[in-house]
Amino acid sequence: MSADTVILAAPFAGWLAPLEEVPDAVFAERMMGDGFAVDPIEGVLRAPAAGEVLSVPASAHAVTLRLENGAELLLHIGLETVALDGRGFAAKVAAGDRVALGDVLVEFDLDAVGEAAKALITPVVVASEGFTLHLERVGRLVDAGDPVARLERGNGGVASAPISEERHERQVQVSAAHGIHARPAARIAAALRPFLSEVELVQGTRRANARSTVALLGLGVAHGDTVRIAGSGADARAAVDAVADLILSGLGEDAATPAPKPAARAGQPVTASPGLAIGTVLQLRAADQDVPENGAGPAVERAALGKALGEVAASLEGRSGSAAEIAEAHRALLEDPDLVRAAERLIAEGRSAAFAWRAASREAAAAIRATGDALLMERIADLTDLERQVIAVLLDGEGPGVPALPKGTILIAEDLLPSQFLALDTGNLAGIITAAGGPTSHVAILAASAGIPMLVAAGEAALEIADGTPLILDADAATIAVNPDAEALADASVRLAETRERRANDLAAAHAPAHMADGTRIEVFANLGSVADAAAAVNAGAEGCGLLRTEFLFLERDTAPSEEEQRETYSRIAATLGDRPLIVRTLDIGGDKPVPYLPLPAEENPALGLRGIRLGLARPDLLRLQLRAILRGVPADQCRIMLPMIADLGDYCPVRAMLDAVKAELGIADAIQLGVMIETPAAAMLAGQIAREADFLSIGTNDLTQYTLAADRGNASVSARIDALHPAVLRLIREVGRGARDAGRWAGVCGSLASDPLAAPILIGLGITELSATPAAVPGLKSAVRSLDMAACQALAERACDAVSAADVRELAREAIR
């Protein structure tokens, strides 16, 4: 055989697969080169041919070889395994070693790595140009050493320059309003998971590992700062470009220049969550647990730390809303390679896992504190929170906990951690004051979401207020009245009573149908994303579910949910709703919401790509299975099905035929309503035509607005342009209302605009007869509807459609309400 040709053997026993079956676009789309993949059934990686070891990263999850014909071969064990930082891997070779076919390169714990990694499937990639790979039959079980491919030198026998030492740099300016804080840092680290190269962010003389959230926070990058992104490795250019593009896109944060904050005097509180509270003080004094300094041996302590980190990470699952965003940032800290490495270094010196984790966390906090950036220092609370949670698990779960709260408690603390807030009985919590902290801290976000008034940065004097002291917390005015006199208490009580009375009246009337002042019936439904949401909706007076987002069943998992799992969940939600209608939206995933078990090609414009019903038609097996689960789980007289991302009847009619076929399979003779979401301008303009076939129309204002205004709602640099009350969007809604009325169908709104009472008179005036809002918004929305008159709504809607801007529309609506 020619010296230019090398036979490649299977590097371990397993299932031989083509590269496109790897659920990672970097490999599947051959961005790094041609190759194949093996899903291993043993934990030993062997040399597929003789050659020289070019590199083995410290994490030992990959090996690069130069074969005897000059080709460079990358063997990458599993996907996203660099994040394990070497845990479970043991390199048996080093750079410069010569290896023969079958020599052991890396040993790894098959079970442990398989549980922690995105996938175990191992790409074997030719990382050099000028070579042709001839792959033998794939889709079969192979043994280690079985011939699987032939690699020939092409291009006149001249191999390309090695790319394993590729270096690439870019310089970019950070436009995110608050610079690189916790969430942007987590997004940068996540963006680097598919890449092998080492990447650093450099600012002046300071450098930070771009995979480390803690290191990035310690860099202290602020809005407007310029940073250099430096990468080295086999895919350095792609990795650096990915980080640069993410930073230039705004890091998912507000790209506007941050408004200057007024300097707070010592002890001058700052509003974190608005509102008024009257109550009595309870001081929360959380003490750190004592931890043993010395451990029971590195192996034992390292395993204990890994287990504790996993348990705390698992406890972050299943959160929604603001809590989900905070969980994402906390999860990134738990996986932070620099933080874990610092703890493991101390464990190797004989320290206990708890001692090491505390020391590593406080070292990271000190680095952040040294930046002097007030916003970044608010993230220290997150490190403290995770420090205590992990230590509590390591010490058999005996954490400091939170106290039981008497009714009307105003809780005061040095600072409050997110996990502590989530453990509080918010029913008895009137308000919160912290001596430290900031208005953008994670616990402030949680308090605002729960409607709990909160002041931060109140100073040490707040900690000296005795338990049981009467207090008025006015978060709107950022004031605290300690031991208020009778007049102040009376005034605050009146204000508080008025607010409570209004809310109580709204809630008391929420279970009655919503009729306008002129008698017109408007249905007020709720948007749901879980069984818990269904219960909250019923309690809030929702008349049904106008949108069940089924994506919650499909996201954050390695395999698609089975028909039975879906059926059981839909059935529980239907039962919770009683006899109220349940509109189930079929899977709206793909593009902007990828899942690992659906390896889809990367898309330049995901919002315009293979998503919603387009994916359902491309994968009819998934759509048919979901239709079966819905029909089996929801009673026919309660069941409505809604299709996302419809553009015209060409998207609708195939699904109608599929639904009829599935009904016949299941022996269902009852009529099942099949409606569409109007999210594209095309569907809005064709609403009359679509309504003659579809059973109902429901407008998704979030997507309709971004498509109409050509502003990506996920792009911080243009997201400020998005307002669903823009006259152009309202004119499209008017077309939907007219089309539905002419066809004898109903038209609803299930986008976020339906939750805004200010928008209700305009939407109703445009022909909308059903509003589906968040459960918490239902009582207030029903109250607003009852005060409206149809003729006035129609007149207001026409004026709104003729307005110049969304701001003008909002002012018109406010004037009408006044």
Side-chain angles (χ1 to χ4, degrees):
M1 183 175 293
S2 167
D4 289 340
T5 301
V6 169
I7 300 298
L8 298 180
F12 34 44
W15 187 261
L16 180 65
L19 204 57
E20 52 266 29
E21 289 189 7
V22 176
D24 188 309
V26 171
F27 295 111
E29 295 180 18
R30 291 173 166 78
M31 296 181 190
M32 296 179 63
D34 199 4
F36 57 90
V38 180
D39 203 346
I41 57 175
E42 61 174 338
V44 179
L45 178 74
R46 299 175 175 84
E52 178 187 358
V53 178
L54 290 180
S55 65
V56 182
S59 53
H61 71 290
V63 177
T64 305
L65 303 175
R66 180 179 290 123
L67 306 183
E68 292 181 344
N69 64 352
E72 292 183 3
L73 202 67
L74 168 67
L75 298 94
H76 193 288
I77 303 173
L79 302 181
E80 299 185 9
T81 43
V82 67
L84 301 181
D85 198 29
R87 294 190 298 276
F89 294 92
K92 299 301 178 182
V93 293
D97 289 352
R98 298 288 305 180
V99 294
L101 170 65
D103 282 356
V104 176
L105 304 176
V106 177
E107 292 180 353
F108 60 100
D109 187 325
L110 189 70
D111 292 335
V113 173
E115 289 178 2
K118 176 182 177 181
L120 269 176
I121 191 168
T122 295
V124 179
V125 176
V126 182
S128 303
E129 296 181 358
F131 292 85
T132 302
L133 183 74
H134 301 277
L135 187 59
E136 295 188 11
R137 181 174 59 88
V138 294
R140 60 191 172 98
L141 197 63
V142 295
D143 289 326
D146 285 355
V148 295
R150 186 175 77 256
L151 185 60
E152 296 179 345
R153 185 203 297 265
N155 199 23
V158 180
S160 64
I163 67 169
S164 61
E165 297 303 320
E166 179 184 47
R167 295 182 182 275
H168 185 56
E169 292 189 1
R170 284 182 64 179
Q171 188 163 291
V172 295
Q173 187 177 44
V174 178
S175 61
H178 301 301
I180 299 178
H181 60 95
R183 285 186 295 277
R187 291 185 180 111
I188 290 173
L192 286 171
R193 286 174 186 161
F195 302 103
L196 184 65
S197 297
E198 297 299 322
V199 179
E200 290 184 317
L201 257 63
V202 184
Q203 187 181 38
T205 59
R206 293 176 298 157
R207 313 175 74 89
N209 177 3
R211 298 182 188 275
S212 168
T213 301
V214 168
L216 291 174
L217 291 178
L219 204 57
V221 177
H223 168 82
D225 284 353
T226 297
V227 296
R228 182 161 53 90
I229 310 163
S232 62
D235 52 2
R237 180 175 296 274
V240 168
D241 287 347
V243 174
D245 291 346
L246 181 62
I247 292 175
L248 291 173
S249 74
L251 290 163
E253 303 287 299
D254 184 359
T257 302
K261 295 180 182 178
R265 299 187 303 272
Q268 178 183 346
V270 177
T271 300
S273 174
L276 177 69
I278 302 172
T280 55
V281 169
L282 177 63
Q283 293 280 354
L284 175 64
R285 308 186 193 279
D288 287 328
Q289 294 177 270
D290 292 330
V291 298
E293 180 174 352
N294 297 319
V300 173
E301 298 298 329
R302 193 177 294 113
L305 178 60
K307 183 173 181 291
L309 293 173
E311 286 189 26
V312 175
S315 72
L316 300 173
E317 301 294 338
R319 296 183 181 178
S320 59
S322 300
E325 297 179 8
I326 294 166
E328 177 188 355
H330 280 197
R331 201 175 292 113
L333 286 173
L334 290 169
E335 298 171 354
D336 189 280
D338 282 10
L339 190 60
V340 174
R341 190 180 295 117
E344 291 188 338
R345 185 169 59 249
L346 289 169
I347 288 174
E349 296 173 1
R351 303 295 182 262
S352 74
F355 181 93
W357 181 251
R358 173 169 288 168
S361 299
R362 295 188 177 181
E363 180 183 344
I368 295 171
R369 194 175 288 108
T371 66
D373 188 307
L375 180 69
L376 289 178
M377 283 191 279
E378 292 178 11
R379 302 284 82 85
I380 293 175
D382 297 313
L383 277 168
T384 303
D385 196 355
L386 293 173
E387 173 196 321
R388 290 179 179 173
Q389 288 188 63
V390 172
I391 288 174
V393 174
L394 287 167
L395 301 182
D396 298 323
E398 295 297 326
V402 296
L405 304 184
K407 191 73 175 176
T409 293
I410 295 180
L411 195 70
I412 301 180
E414 170 68 28
D415 204 350
L416 194 63
L417 307 177
S419 64
Q420 291 174 316
F421 179 89
L422 292 170
L424 292 170
D425 178 3
T426 54
N428 288 338
L429 182 63
I432 300 171
I433 300 170
T434 61
T440 61
S441 66
H442 282 154
V443 76
I445 295 171
L446 290 172
S449 297
I452 304 294
M454 181 176 181
L455 292 176
V456 298
E460 295 297 315
L463 302 177
E464 298 173 4
I465 303 174
D467 286 349
T469 302
L471 187 144
I472 298 174
L473 188 167
D474 189 342
D476 296 323
T479 61
I480 301 169
V482 181
N483 283 315
D485 59 26
E487 184 179 353
L489 277 173
D491 178 63
S493 297
V494 169
R495 292 166 54 202
L496 194 57
E498 289 174 349
T499 301
R500 288 175 175 170
E501 183 179 9
R502 184 178 67 252
R503 291 177 179 170
N505 290 339
D506 290 348
L507 187 58
H511 292 273
H515 288 90
M516 298 173 63
D518 60 13
T520 304
R521 176 79 166 93
I522 301 295
E523 292 182 308
V524 179
F525 284 16
N527 299 333
L528 309 180
S530 67
V531 178
D533 283 353
V538 171
N539 291 334
E543 300 168 38
C545 168
L547 167 63
L548 175 61
R549 301 181 181 93
T550 59
E551 295 76 52
F552 75 95
L553 281 165
F554 291 79
L555 296 171
E556 296 184 1
R557 54 187 298 157
D558 296 326
T559 59
S562 66
E563 178 181 332
E564 188 57 30
E565 181 182 351
Q566 291 188 59
R567 183 209 64 77
E568 193 272 338
T569 302
Y570 303 146
S571 178
R572 288 172 60 201
I573 291 173
T576 302
L577 290 174
D579 58 356
R580 298 169 182 83
L582 171 55
I583 299 178
V584 183
R585 183 178 68 185
T586 58
L587 183 61
D588 186 10
I589 212 165
D592 60 335
K593 289 177 279 191
V595 292
Y597 51 86
L598 287 178
L600 300 173
E603 297 183 272
E604 186 173 349
N605 295 303
L608 306 180
L610 192 64
R611 55 170 296 202
I613 200 60
R614 300 171 181 180
L615 177 61
L617 293 172
R619 287 293 305 270
D621 55 323
L622 285 178
L623 180 56
R624 177 181 286 271
L625 185 144
Q626 185 174 30
L627 292 175
R628 284 181 56 88
I630 294 169
L631 294 177
R632 291 179 57 220
V634 184
D637 59 350
Q638 187 181 11
C639 184
R640 318 279 190 274
I641 298 175
M642 183 163 64
L643 308 179
M645 280 295 293
I646 294 291
D648 52 39
L649 284 174
D651 293 329
Y652 177 83
C653 292
V655 186
R656 166 57 78 183
M658 184 184 295
L659 178 62
D660 290 342
V662 172
K663 284 175 57 183
E665 289 174 11
L666 298 175
I668 297 174
D670 300 285
I672 301 294
Q673 290 190 24
L674 181 65
V676 302
M677 282 193 79
I678 303 293
E679 301 169 276
T680 65
M685 296 303 296
L686 296 175
Q689 186 184 97
I690 293 172
R692 288 193 289 273
E693 297 292 332
D695 294 309
F696 61 88
L697 310 179
S698 187
I699 303 169
T701 52
N702 301 348
D703 273 326
L704 181 62
T705 303
Q706 77 163 341
Y707 294 139
T708 302
L709 301 180
D712 181 358
R713 57 192 174 110
N715 185 335
S717 62
V718 296
S719 60
R721 293 174 169 267
I722 295 177
D723 190 328
L725 283 179
H726 192 284
V729 180
L730 297 180
R731 291 186 181 201
L732 290 174
I733 295 174
R734 181 171 61 185
E735 288 298 315
V736 178
R738 287 173 177 170
R741 183 191 62 232
D742 292 346
R745 309 297 193 193
W746 63 264
V749 173
C750 61
S752 59
L753 190 62
S755 297
D756 186 354
L758 194 68
I762 297 174
L763 295 175
I764 291 170
L766 293 174
I768 300 304
T769 60
E770 181 254 16
L771 299 169
S772 189
T774 60
V778 168
L781 186 58
K782 280 191 167 185
S783 177
V785 166
R786 294 188 181 106
S787 68
L788 302 177
D789 173 80
M790 180 59 79
C793 289
Q794 290 172 339
L796 174 63
E798 288 306 311
R799 292 174 64 199
C801 285
D802 290 335
V804 174
S805 67
D808 291 341
V809 172
R810 290 189 176 278
E811 185 55 34
L812 284 172
R814 291 189 190 98
E815 288 178 6
I817 290 175
R818 284 195 292 267

